[in-house]
Amino acid sequence: MRAIVASHPGDASVLQIADAPEPRPLAGEVLVDVAAVGVNFIDTYQRSGVYPVSFPFTPGLEGSGVVAEVGGAVTGFAPGDRVAWCSSLGSYAERVTVPAHALYAVPDSVDLRTAAAVTLQGLTAHFLSSSTFRLGPEHTALVHAGAGGVGLLLTQLACARGARVITTVSTEEKEALSRAAGASAVLRYDQMPDLSADLPAAVRELTNGDGVDVVYDGVGAATFDASLGSLAVRGMLVLFGGASGQVPDFNLQRLNAGGSLFVTRPSMGHYLRTEQERAWRAGEVFSAVASGELNVRVGATYPLDQAADAHRALESRGTSGKVLLLP
Ligand SMILES: NC(=O)c1ccc[n+]([C@@H]2O[C@H](COP(=O)([O-])OP(=O)(O)OC[C@H]3O[C@@H](n4cnc5c(N)ncnc54)[C@H](OP(=O)(O)O)[C@@H]3O)[C@@H](O)[C@H]2O)c1
């Protein structure tokens, strides 16, 4: 079978297609014929060495497919079942073994491409909007990269909770997508010469001078200062990623000066801790997709052997919604 292998950390060119040994399920594991692989920004951090992984390495935490075989002691899954996952490294492959506890059953009404597109980013949007900062109709949120994979889903879930959403995007096309997802105002942060002053000013103009209750910031280095400056008194900055680079150390005294602010740096694993929590979040996300309440945009698909092009597109801000690899 074929898989993408990177022999050492580096730019997208290290992602090469290779013949790999047929995986066999060990006890507690399930062998899956992969239908679609979800590409996520974290895959680029791991490939480039920003997040440590051991090389040679096959990227990919997310995918969907059909169960081919189950290992010993597996209950709850059988050959033929449709499944998805988002925390099993090595998913850029035609066949993978996944621990049974990391699998989600995909409802019949959700197709496998959509399942691969919504599992990681949908669960992320769910914990960000319902738990990290529990949004309600009394809140205004600022969501950076509003037309990205997480951005489009987070905007929809935030609006479904009654919150008012302001987003940032870098192109006209992304602006239209973000508005269609429910953003009431879309700001072009790419056109702001002094982002850390211009963005807070634009946000305050939209919020009677108050600022927003929460900023969801997955862009990181480029936006962090502007995000802090856009918060209302006692607002929360949810720094959930660093698409533009990691945020350097900063002086906690800035939280005092900014108005008793909060900063958190959440990670998906800490919001999917128990079987019950996983079932609750996945149940809500898949039901929202099945009912049509949550629209999942697949912005681009690539054959598995073009994984490097998928990474280049994601890293150059050339994508909107979800990027999938098709084995
Ligand atoms: N903490 C968690 O558990 C968790 C889980 C999932 C994702 N994440 C994080 O969420 C963020 C979004 O992930 P995603 O997979 O949905 O990606 P994405 O938002 O689809 O893609 C990243 C977007 O960030 C924006 N961006 C701004 N400056 C950029 C730069 N210098 N380089 C590249 N992109 C830039 C671009 O949108 P514009 O063109 O509109 O600027 C780009 O499309 C990432 O930081 C990711 O690590 C975190």
Side-chain angles (χ1 to χ4, degrees), residues 50-77:
V50 172
Y51 285 4
V53 287
S54 348
F55 287 83
F57 126 97
T58 294
L61 292 164
E62 180 180 42
S64 66
V66 176
V67 173
E69 191 182 336
V70 297
V74 169
T75 55
F77 293 101

mmCIF file with all atom_site columns, all heavy atoms in Angstrom, residues 50-77:
data_model
loop_
_atom_site.group_PDB
_atom_site.id
_atom_site.type_symbol
_atom_site.label_atom_id
_atom_site.label_alt_id
_atom_site.label_comp_id
_atom_site.label_asym_id
_atom_site.label_entity_id
_atom_site.label_seq_id
_atom_site.pdbx_PDB_ins_code
_atom_site.Cartn_x
_atom_site.Cartn_y
_atom_site.Cartn_z
_atom_site.occupancy
_atom_site.B_iso_or_equiv
_atom_site.pdbx_formal_charge
_atom_site.auth_seq_id
_atom_site.auth_comp_id
_atom_site.auth_asym_id
_atom_site.auth_atom_id
_atom_site.pdbx_PDB_model_num
ATOM 1   N N   . VAL A 1 50 ? 8.264   22.226 13.872 1.00 0.00 ? 50 VAL A N   1
ATOM 2   C CA  . VAL A 1 50 ? 7.806   23.164 14.915 1.00 0.00 ? 50 VAL A CA  1
ATOM 3   C C   . VAL A 1 50 ? 7.245   22.382 16.102 1.00 0.00 ? 50 VAL A C   1
ATOM 4   O O   . VAL A 1 50 ? 7.462   22.730 17.266 1.00 0.00 ? 50 VAL A O   1
ATOM 5   C CB  . VAL A 1 50 ? 6.732   24.129 14.356 1.00 0.00 ? 50 VAL A CB  1
ATOM 6   C CG1 . VAL A 1 50 ? 6.112   24.978 15.450 1.00 0.00 ? 50 VAL A CG1 1
ATOM 7   C CG2 . VAL A 1 50 ? 7.328   25.021 13.279 1.00 0.00 ? 50 VAL A CG2 1
ATOM 8   N N   . TYR A 1 51 ? 6.498   21.302 15.810 1.00 0.00 ? 51 TYR A N   1
ATOM 9   C CA  . TYR A 1 51 ? 6.039   20.388 16.860 1.00 0.00 ? 51 TYR A CA  1
ATOM 10  C C   . TYR A 1 51 ? 6.875   19.117 16.713 1.00 0.00 ? 51 TYR A C   1
ATOM 11  O O   . TYR A 1 51 ? 6.978   18.579 15.599 1.00 0.00 ? 51 TYR A O   1
ATOM 12  C CB  . TYR A 1 51 ? 4.561   20.007 16.687 1.00 0.00 ? 51 TYR A CB  1
ATOM 13  C CG  . TYR A 1 51 ? 3.554   21.081 17.066 1.00 0.00 ? 51 TYR A CG  1
ATOM 14  C CD1 . TYR A 1 51 ? 3.930   22.367 17.460 1.00 0.00 ? 51 TYR A CD1 1
ATOM 15  C CD2 . TYR A 1 51 ? 2.190   20.786 17.044 1.00 0.00 ? 51 TYR A CD2 1
ATOM 16  C CE1 . TYR A 1 51 ? 2.988   23.325 17.787 1.00 0.00 ? 51 TYR A CE1 1
ATOM 17  C CE2 . TYR A 1 51 ? 1.240   21.741 17.377 1.00 0.00 ? 51 TYR A CE2 1
ATOM 18  C CZ  . TYR A 1 51 ? 1.643   23.010 17.746 1.00 0.00 ? 51 TYR A CZ  1
ATOM 19  O OH  . TYR A 1 51 ? 0.699   23.963 18.074 1.00 0.00 ? 51 TYR A OH  1
ATOM 20  N N   . PRO A 1 52 ? 7.439   18.594 17.787 1.00 0.00 ? 52 PRO A N   1
ATOM 21  C CA  . PRO A 1 52 ? 8.332   17.439 17.663 1.00 0.00 ? 52 PRO A CA  1
ATOM 22  C C   . PRO A 1 52 ? 7.597   16.143 17.326 1.00 0.00 ? 52 PRO A C   1
ATOM 23  O O   . PRO A 1 52 ? 6.574   15.824 17.929 1.00 0.00 ? 52 PRO A O   1
ATOM 24  C CB  . PRO A 1 52 ? 8.977   17.343 19.057 1.00 0.00 ? 52 PRO A CB  1
ATOM 25  C CG  . PRO A 1 52 ? 8.093   18.104 19.976 1.00 0.00 ? 52 PRO A CG  1
ATOM 26  C CD  . PRO A 1 52 ? 7.317   19.095 19.170 1.00 0.00 ? 52 PRO A CD  1
ATOM 27  N N   . VAL A 1 53 ? 8.111   15.423 16.318 1.00 0.00 ? 53 VAL A N   1
ATOM 28  C CA  . VAL A 1 53 ? 7.654   14.056 15.995 1.00 0.00 ? 53 VAL A CA  1
ATOM 29  C C   . VAL A 1 53 ? 8.911   13.276 15.608 1.00 0.00 ? 53 VAL A C   1
ATOM 30  O O   . VAL A 1 53 ? 9.924   13.872 15.284 1.00 0.00 ? 53 VAL A O   1
ATOM 31  C CB  . VAL A 1 53 ? 6.663   14.011 14.802 1.00 0.00 ? 53 VAL A CB  1
ATOM 32  C CG1 . VAL A 1 53 ? 5.301   14.536 15.164 1.00 0.00 ? 53 VAL A CG1 1
ATOM 33  C CG2 . VAL A 1 53 ? 7.202   14.740 13.580 1.00 0.00 ? 53 VAL A CG2 1
ATOM 34  N N   . SER A 1 54 ? 8.843   11.932 15.625 1.00 0.00 ? 54 SER A N   1
ATOM 35  C CA  . SER A 1 54 ? 10.031  11.180 15.190 1.00 0.00 ? 54 SER A CA  1
ATOM 36  C C   . SER A 1 54 ? 9.961   10.903 13.702 1.00 0.00 ? 54 SER A C   1
ATOM 37  O O   . SER A 1 54 ? 8.896   10.571 13.180 1.00 0.00 ? 54 SER A O   1
ATOM 38  C CB  . SER A 1 54 ? 10.175  9.849  15.913 1.00 0.00 ? 54 SER A CB  1
ATOM 39  O OG  . SER A 1 54 ? 9.373   9.713  16.961 1.00 0.00 ? 54 SER A OG  1
ATOM 40  N N   . PHE A 1 55 ? 11.114  11.052 13.055 1.00 0.00 ? 55 PHE A N   1
ATOM 41  C CA  . PHE A 1 55 ? 11.226  10.808 11.607 1.00 0.00 ? 55 PHE A CA  1
ATOM 42  C C   . PHE A 1 55 ? 11.929  9.483  11.383 1.00 0.00 ? 55 PHE A C   1
ATOM 43  O O   . PHE A 1 55 ? 12.752  9.089  12.220 1.00 0.00 ? 55 PHE A O   1
ATOM 44  C CB  . PHE A 1 55 ? 12.001  11.959 10.953 1.00 0.00 ? 55 PHE A CB  1
ATOM 45  C CG  . PHE A 1 55 ? 11.182  13.222 10.873 1.00 0.00 ? 55 PHE A CG  1
ATOM 46  C CD1 . PHE A 1 55 ? 11.095  14.081 11.969 1.00 0.00 ? 55 PHE A CD1 1
ATOM 47  C CD2 . PHE A 1 55 ? 10.475  13.540 9.721  1.00 0.00 ? 55 PHE A CD2 1
ATOM 48  C CE1 . PHE A 1 55 ? 10.319  15.237 11.908 1.00 0.00 ? 55 PHE A CE1 1
ATOM 49  C CE2 . PHE A 1 55 ? 9.705   14.696 9.654  1.00 0.00 ? 55 PHE A CE2 1
ATOM 50  C CZ  . PHE A 1 55 ? 9.633   15.539 10.745 1.00 0.00 ? 55 PHE A CZ  1
ATOM 51  N N   . PRO A 1 56 ? 11.687  8.777  10.256 1.00 0.00 ? 56 PRO A N   1
ATOM 52  C CA  . PRO A 1 56 ? 10.719  9.097  9.214  1.00 0.00 ? 56 PRO A CA  1
ATOM 53  C C   . PRO A 1 56 ? 9.297   9.062  9.767  1.00 0.00 ? 56 PRO A C   1
ATOM 54  O O   . PRO A 1 56 ? 9.002   8.285  10.664 1.00 0.00 ? 56 PRO A O   1
ATOM 55  C CB  . PRO A 1 56 ? 10.942  7.990  8.171  1.00 0.00 ? 56 PRO A CB  1
ATOM 56  C CG  . PRO A 1 56 ? 11.533  6.853  8.942  1.00 0.00 ? 56 PRO A CG  1
ATOM 57  C CD  . PRO A 1 56 ? 12.338  7.469  10.039 1.00 0.00 ? 56 PRO A CD  1
ATOM 58  N N   . PHE A 1 57 ? 8.470   9.927  9.157  1.00 0.00 ? 57 PHE A N   1
ATOM 59  C CA  . PHE A 1 57 ? 7.118   10.014 9.715  1.00 0.00 ? 57 PHE A CA  1
ATOM 60  C C   . PHE A 1 57 ? 6.075   10.178 8.615  1.00 0.00 ? 57 PHE A C   1
ATOM 61  O O   . PHE A 1 57 ? 6.337   10.773 7.570  1.00 0.00 ? 57 PHE A O   1
ATOM 62  C CB  . PHE A 1 57 ? 7.143   11.136 10.763 1.00 0.00 ? 57 PHE A CB  1
ATOM 63  C CG  . PHE A 1 57 ? 6.146   12.244 10.636 1.00 0.00 ? 57 PHE A CG  1
ATOM 64  C CD1 . PHE A 1 57 ? 4.962   12.223 11.365 1.00 0.00 ? 57 PHE A CD1 1
ATOM 65  C CD2 . PHE A 1 57 ? 6.398   13.341 9.814  1.00 0.00 ? 57 PHE A CD2 1
ATOM 66  C CE1 . PHE A 1 57 ? 4.068   13.276 11.285 1.00 0.00 ? 57 PHE A CE1 1
ATOM 67  C CE2 . PHE A 1 57 ? 5.499   14.395 9.739  1.00 0.00 ? 57 PHE A CE2 1
ATOM 68  C CZ  . PHE A 1 57 ? 4.343   14.353 10.486 1.00 0.00 ? 57 PHE A CZ  1
ATOM 69  N N   . THR A 1 58 ? 4.915   9.551  8.838  1.00 0.00 ? 58 THR A N   1
ATOM 70  C CA  . THR A 1 58 ? 3.756   9.699  7.956  1.00 0.00 ? 58 THR A CA  1
ATOM 71  C C   . THR A 1 58 ? 2.797   10.650 8.640  1.00 0.00 ? 58 THR A C   1
ATOM 72  O O   . THR A 1 58 ? 2.320   10.365 9.743  1.00 0.00 ? 58 THR A O   1
ATOM 73  C CB  . THR A 1 58 ? 3.095   8.331  7.692  1.00 0.00 ? 58 THR A CB  1
ATOM 74  O OG1 . THR A 1 58 ? 4.010   7.535  6.953  1.00 0.00 ? 58 THR A OG1 1
ATOM 75  C CG2 . THR A 1 58 ? 1.795   8.473  6.902  1.00 0.00 ? 58 THR A CG2 1
ATOM 76  N N   . PRO A 1 59 ? 2.534   11.826 8.046  1.00 0.00 ? 59 PRO A N   1
ATOM 77  C CA  . PRO A 1 59 ? 1.680   12.801 8.710  1.00 0.00 ? 59 PRO A CA  1
ATOM 78  C C   . PRO A 1 59 ? 0.198   12.386 8.696  1.00 0.00 ? 59 PRO A C   1
ATOM 79  O O   . PRO A 1 59 ? -0.176  11.410 8.055  1.00 0.00 ? 59 PRO A O   1
ATOM 80  C CB  . PRO A 1 59 ? 1.865   14.081 7.881  1.00 0.00 ? 59 PRO A CB  1
ATOM 81  C CG  . PRO A 1 59 ? 2.874   13.779 6.828  1.00 0.00 ? 59 PRO A CG  1
ATOM 82  C CD  . PRO A 1 59 ? 3.011   12.302 6.736  1.00 0.00 ? 59 PRO A CD  1
ATOM 83  N N   . GLY A 1 60 ? -0.587  13.232 9.337  1.00 0.00 ? 60 GLY A N   1
ATOM 84  C CA  . GLY A 1 60 ? -2.040  13.074 9.242  1.00 0.00 ? 60 GLY A CA  1
ATOM 85  C C   . GLY A 1 60 ? -2.634  12.491 10.501 1.00 0.00 ? 60 GLY A C   1
ATOM 86  O O   . GLY A 1 60 ? -2.328  11.370 10.889 1.00 0.00 ? 60 GLY A O   1
ATOM 87  N N   . LEU A 1 61 ? -3.550  13.279 11.123 1.00 0.00 ? 61 LEU A N   1
ATOM 88  C CA  . LEU A 1 61 ? -4.243  12.826 12.331 1.00 0.00 ? 61 LEU A CA  1
ATOM 89  C C   . LEU A 1 61 ? -5.670  12.411 12.015 1.00 0.00 ? 61 LEU A C   1
ATOM 90  O O   . LEU A 1 61 ? -6.337  11.803 12.842 1.00 0.00 ? 61 LEU A O   1
ATOM 91  C CB  . LEU A 1 61 ? -4.306  13.978 13.337 1.00 0.00 ? 61 LEU A CB  1
ATOM 92  C CG  . LEU A 1 61 ? -2.975  14.402 13.934 1.00 0.00 ? 61 LEU A CG  1
ATOM 93  C CD1 . LEU A 1 61 ? -3.090  15.760 14.603 1.00 0.00 ? 61 LEU A CD1 1
ATOM 94  C CD2 . LEU A 1 61 ? -2.517  13.344 14.940 1.00 0.00 ? 61 LEU A CD2 1
ATOM 95  N N   . GLU A 1 62 ? -6.140  12.747 10.801 1.00 0.00 ? 62 GLU A N   1
ATOM 96  C CA  . GLU A 1 62 ? -7.583  12.698 10.559 1.00 0.00 ? 62 GLU A CA  1
ATOM 97  C C   . GLU A 1 62 ? -7.917  11.960 9.271  1.00 0.00 ? 62 GLU A C   1
ATOM 98  O O   . GLU A 1 62 ? -7.190  12.062 8.273  1.00 0.00 ? 62 GLU A O   1
ATOM 99  C CB  . GLU A 1 62 ? -8.087  14.133 10.422 1.00 0.00 ? 62 GLU A CB  1
ATOM 100 C CG  . GLU A 1 62 ? -9.579  14.266 10.165 1.00 0.00 ? 62 GLU A CG  1
ATOM 101 C CD  . GLU A 1 62 ? -10.002 15.730 10.041 1.00 0.00 ? 62 GLU A CD  1
ATOM 102 O OE1 . GLU A 1 62 ? -9.279  16.529 9.397  1.00 0.00 ? 62 GLU A OE1 1
ATOM 103 O OE2 . GLU A 1 62 ? -11.059 16.072 10.589 1.00 0.00 ? 62 GLU A OE2 1
ATOM 104 N N   . GLY A 1 63 ? -9.019  11.248 9.285  1.00 0.00 ? 63 GLY A N   1
ATOM 105 C CA  . GLY A 1 63 ? -9.485  10.618 8.056  1.00 0.00 ? 63 GLY A CA  1
ATOM 106 C C   . GLY A 1 63 ? -10.820 9.939  8.273  1.00 0.00 ? 63 GLY A C   1
ATOM 107 O O   . GLY A 1 63 ? -11.415 9.994  9.362  1.00 0.00 ? 63 GLY A O   1
ATOM 108 N N   . SER A 1 64 ? -11.277 9.297  7.190  1.00 0.00 ? 64 SER A N   1
ATOM 109 C CA  . SER A 1 64 ? -12.514 8.519  7.272  1.00 0.00 ? 64 SER A CA  1
ATOM 110 C C   . SER A 1 64 ? -12.345 7.308  6.367  1.00 0.00 ? 64 SER A C   1
ATOM 111 O O   . SER A 1 64 ? -11.480 7.295  5.482  1.00 0.00 ? 64 SER A O   1
ATOM 112 C CB  . SER A 1 64 ? -13.703 9.355  6.791  1.00 0.00 ? 64 SER A CB  1
ATOM 113 O OG  . SER A 1 64 ? -13.542 9.617  5.405  1.00 0.00 ? 64 SER A OG  1
ATOM 114 N N   . GLY A 1 65 ? -13.165 6.310  6.573  1.00 0.00 ? 65 GLY A N   1
ATOM 115 C CA  . GLY A 1 65 ? -13.076 5.133  5.716  1.00 0.00 ? 65 GLY A CA  1
ATOM 116 C C   . GLY A 1 65 ? -13.983 4.025  6.201  1.00 0.00 ? 65 GLY A C   1
ATOM 117 O O   . GLY A 1 65 ? -14.905 4.251  7.005  1.00 0.00 ? 65 GLY A O   1
ATOM 118 N N   . VAL A 1 66 ? -13.690 2.822  5.691  1.00 0.00 ? 66 VAL A N   1
ATOM 119 C CA  . VAL A 1 66 ? -14.533 1.665  5.992  1.00 0.00 ? 66 VAL A CA  1
ATOM 120 C C   . VAL A 1 66 ? -13.668 0.621  6.708  1.00 0.00 ? 66 VAL A C   1
ATOM 121 O O   . VAL A 1 66 ? -12.549 0.326  6.275  1.00 0.00 ? 66 VAL A O   1
ATOM 122 C CB  . VAL A 1 66 ? -15.114 1.086  4.679  1.00 0.00 ? 66 VAL A CB  1
ATOM 123 C CG1 . VAL A 1 66 ? -15.919 -0.175 4.955  1.00 0.00 ? 66 VAL A CG1 1
ATOM 124 C CG2 . VAL A 1 66 ? -15.976 2.138  3.982  1.00 0.00 ? 66 VAL A CG2 1
ATOM 125 N N   . VAL A 1 67 ? -14.192 0.081  7.794  1.00 0.00 ? 67 VAL A N   1
ATOM 126 C CA  . VAL A 1 67 ? -13.446 -0.915 8.570  1.00 0.00 ? 67 VAL A CA  1
ATOM 127 C C   . VAL A 1 67 ? -13.236 -2.171 7.727  1.00 0.00 ? 67 VAL A C   1
ATOM 128 O O   . VAL A 1 67 ? -14.184 -2.725 7.157  1.00 0.00 ? 67 VAL A O   1
ATOM 129 C CB  . VAL A 1 67 ? -14.216 -1.279 9.861  1.00 0.00 ? 67 VAL A CB  1
ATOM 130 C CG1 . VAL A 1 67 ? -13.529 -2.433 10.596 1.00 0.00 ? 67 VAL A CG1 1
ATOM 131 C CG2 . VAL A 1 67 ? -14.338 -0.055 10.761 1.00 0.00 ? 67 VAL A CG2 1
ATOM 132 N N   . ALA A 1 68 ? -11.943 -2.606 7.628  1.00 0.00 ? 68 ALA A N   1
ATOM 133 C CA  . ALA A 1 68 ? -11.611 -3.815 6.861  1.00 0.00 ? 68 ALA A CA  1
ATOM 134 C C   . ALA A 1 68 ? -11.449 -5.013 7.795  1.00 0.00 ? 68 ALA A C   1
ATOM 135 O O   . ALA A 1 68 ? -11.770 -6.146 7.425  1.00 0.00 ? 68 ALA A O   1
ATOM 136 C CB  . ALA A 1 68 ? -10.316 -3.592 6.083  1.00 0.00 ? 68 ALA A CB  1
ATOM 137 N N   . GLU A 1 69 ? -10.954 -4.777 8.996  1.00 0.00 ? 69 GLU A N   1
ATOM 138 C CA  . GLU A 1 69 ? -10.644 -5.869 9.920  1.00 0.00 ? 69 GLU A CA  1
ATOM 139 C C   . GLU A 1 69 ? -10.536 -5.295 11.328 1.00 0.00 ? 69 GLU A C   1
ATOM 140 O O   . GLU A 1 69 ? -10.111 -4.143 11.476 1.00 0.00 ? 69 GLU A O   1
ATOM 141 C CB  . GLU A 1 69 ? -9.285  -6.461 9.489  1.00 0.00 ? 69 GLU A CB  1
ATOM 142 C CG  . GLU A 1 69 ? -8.900  -7.760 10.144 1.00 0.00 ? 69 GLU A CG  1
ATOM 143 C CD  . GLU A 1 69 ? -7.502  -8.223 9.673  1.00 0.00 ? 69 GLU A CD  1
ATOM 144 O OE1 . GLU A 1 69 ? -7.060  -7.818 8.559  1.00 0.00 ? 69 GLU A OE1 1
ATOM 145 O OE2 . GLU A 1 69 ? -6.860  -8.949 10.437 1.00 0.00 ? 69 GLU A OE2 1
ATOM 146 N N   . VAL A 1 70 ? -10.908 -6.086 12.328 1.00 0.00 ? 70 VAL A N   1
ATOM 147 C CA  . VAL A 1 70 ? -10.718 -5.600 13.698 1.00 0.00 ? 70 VAL A CA  1
ATOM 148 C C   . VAL A 1 70 ? -9.735  -6.515 14.426 1.00 0.00 ? 70 VAL A C   1
ATOM 149 O O   . VAL A 1 70 ? -9.717  -7.726 14.208 1.00 0.00 ? 70 VAL A O   1
ATOM 150 C CB  . VAL A 1 70 ? -12.044 -5.490 14.496 1.00 0.00 ? 70 VAL A CB  1
ATOM 151 C CG1 . VAL A 1 70 ? -12.973 -4.485 13.850 1.00 0.00 ? 70 VAL A CG1 1
ATOM 152 C CG2 . VAL A 1 70 ? -12.708 -6.832 14.656 1.00 0.00 ? 70 VAL A CG2 1
ATOM 153 N N   . GLY A 1 71 ? -8.884  -5.922 15.282 1.00 0.00 ? 71 GLY A N   1
ATOM 154 C CA  . GLY A 1 71 ? -7.946  -6.689 16.076 1.00 0.00 ? 71 GLY A CA  1
ATOM 155 C C   . GLY A 1 71 ? -8.655  -7.294 17.279 1.00 0.00 ? 71 GLY A C   1
ATOM 156 O O   . GLY A 1 71 ? -9.857  -7.094 17.495 1.00 0.00 ? 71 GLY A O   1
ATOM 157 N N   . GLY A 1 72 ? -7.869  -8.045 18.086 1.00 0.00 ? 72 GLY A N   1
ATOM 158 C CA  . GLY A 1 72 ? -8.448  -8.686 19.264 1.00 0.00 ? 72 GLY A CA  1
ATOM 159 C C   . GLY A 1 72 ? -8.997  -7.664 20.241 1.00 0.00 ? 72 GLY A C   1
ATOM 160 O O   . GLY A 1 72 ? -8.556  -6.509 20.258 1.00 0.00 ? 72 GLY A O   1
ATOM 161 N N   . ALA A 1 73 ? -9.967  -8.079 21.002 1.00 0.00 ? 73 ALA A N   1
ATOM 162 C CA  . ALA A 1 73 ? -10.542 -7.282 22.095 1.00 0.00 ? 73 ALA A CA  1
ATOM 163 C C   . ALA A 1 73 ? -11.238 -6.008 21.622 1.00 0.00 ? 73 ALA A C   1
ATOM 164 O O   . ALA A 1 73 ? -11.502 -5.120 22.422 1.00 0.00 ? 73 ALA A O   1
ATOM 165 C CB  . ALA A 1 73 ? -9.451  -6.920 23.113 1.00 0.00 ? 73 ALA A CB  1
ATOM 166 N N   . VAL A 1 74 ? -11.535 -5.936 20.326 1.00 0.00 ? 74 VAL A N   1
ATOM 167 C CA  . VAL A 1 74 ? -12.276 -4.757 19.853 1.00 0.00 ? 74 VAL A CA  1
ATOM 168 C C   . VAL A 1 74 ? -13.766 -5.069 19.878 1.00 0.00 ? 74 VAL A C   1
ATOM 169 O O   . VAL A 1 74 ? -14.201 -6.071 19.302 1.00 0.00 ? 74 VAL A O   1
ATOM 170 C CB  . VAL A 1 74 ? -11.857 -4.367 18.415 1.00 0.00 ? 74 VAL A CB  1
ATOM 171 C CG1 . VAL A 1 74 ? -12.805 -3.316 17.833 1.00 0.00 ? 74 VAL A CG1 1
ATOM 172 C CG2 . VAL A 1 74 ? -10.433 -3.852 18.411 1.00 0.00 ? 74 VAL A CG2 1
ATOM 173 N N   . THR A 1 75 ? -14.506 -4.223 20.570 1.00 0.00 ? 75 THR A N   1
ATOM 174 C CA  . THR A 1 75 ? -15.963 -4.354 20.539 1.00 0.00 ? 75 THR A CA  1
ATOM 175 C C   . THR A 1 75 ? -16.523 -3.059 19.973 1.00 0.00 ? 75 THR A C   1
ATOM 176 O O   . THR A 1 75 ? -15.886 -2.017 20.067 1.00 0.00 ? 75 THR A O   1
ATOM 177 C CB  . THR A 1 75 ? -16.543 -4.581 21.951 1.00 0.00 ? 75 THR A CB  1
ATOM 178 O OG1 . THR A 1 75 ? -16.080 -3.524 22.773 1.00 0.00 ? 75 THR A OG1 1
ATOM 179 C CG2 . THR A 1 75 ? -16.134 -5.922 22.537 1.00 0.00 ? 75 THR A CG2 1
ATOM 180 N N   . GLY A 1 76 ? -17.669 -3.134 19.392 1.00 0.00 ? 76 GLY A N   1
ATOM 181 C CA  . GLY A 1 76 ? -18.310 -1.898 18.923 1.00 0.00 ? 76 GLY A CA  1
ATOM 182 C C   . GLY A 1 76 ? -18.037 -1.569 17.473 1.00 0.00 ? 76 GLY A C   1
ATOM 183 O O   . GLY A 1 76 ? -18.690 -0.695 16.909 1.00 0.00 ? 76 GLY A O   1
ATOM 184 N N   . PHE A 1 77 ? -17.054 -2.228 16.826 1.00 0.00 ? 77 PHE A N   1
ATOM 185 C CA  . PHE A 1 77 ? -16.807 -2.004 15.401 1.00 0.00 ? 77 PHE A CA  1
ATOM 186 C C   . PHE A 1 77 ? -16.649 -3.338 14.696 1.00 0.00 ? 77 PHE A C   1
ATOM 187 O O   . PHE A 1 77 ? -16.114 -4.293 15.273 1.00 0.00 ? 77 PHE A O   1
ATOM 188 C CB  . PHE A 1 77 ? -15.542 -1.145 15.183 1.00 0.00 ? 77 PHE A CB  1
ATOM 189 C CG  . PHE A 1 77 ? -15.700 0.257  15.685 1.00 0.00 ? 77 PHE A CG  1
ATOM 190 C CD1 . PHE A 1 77 ? -15.156 0.634  16.900 1.00 0.00 ? 77 PHE A CD1 1
ATOM 191 C CD2 . PHE A 1 77 ? -16.429 1.190  14.953 1.00 0.00 ? 77 PHE A CD2 1
ATOM 192 C CE1 . PHE A 1 77 ? -15.325 1.926  17.384 1.00 0.00 ? 77 PHE A CE1 1
ATOM 193 C CE2 . PHE A 1 77 ? -16.596 2.488  15.417 1.00 0.00 ? 77 PHE A CE2 1
ATOM 194 C CZ  . PHE A 1 77 ? -16.049 2.858  16.642 1.00 0.00 ? 77 PHE A CZ  1
#
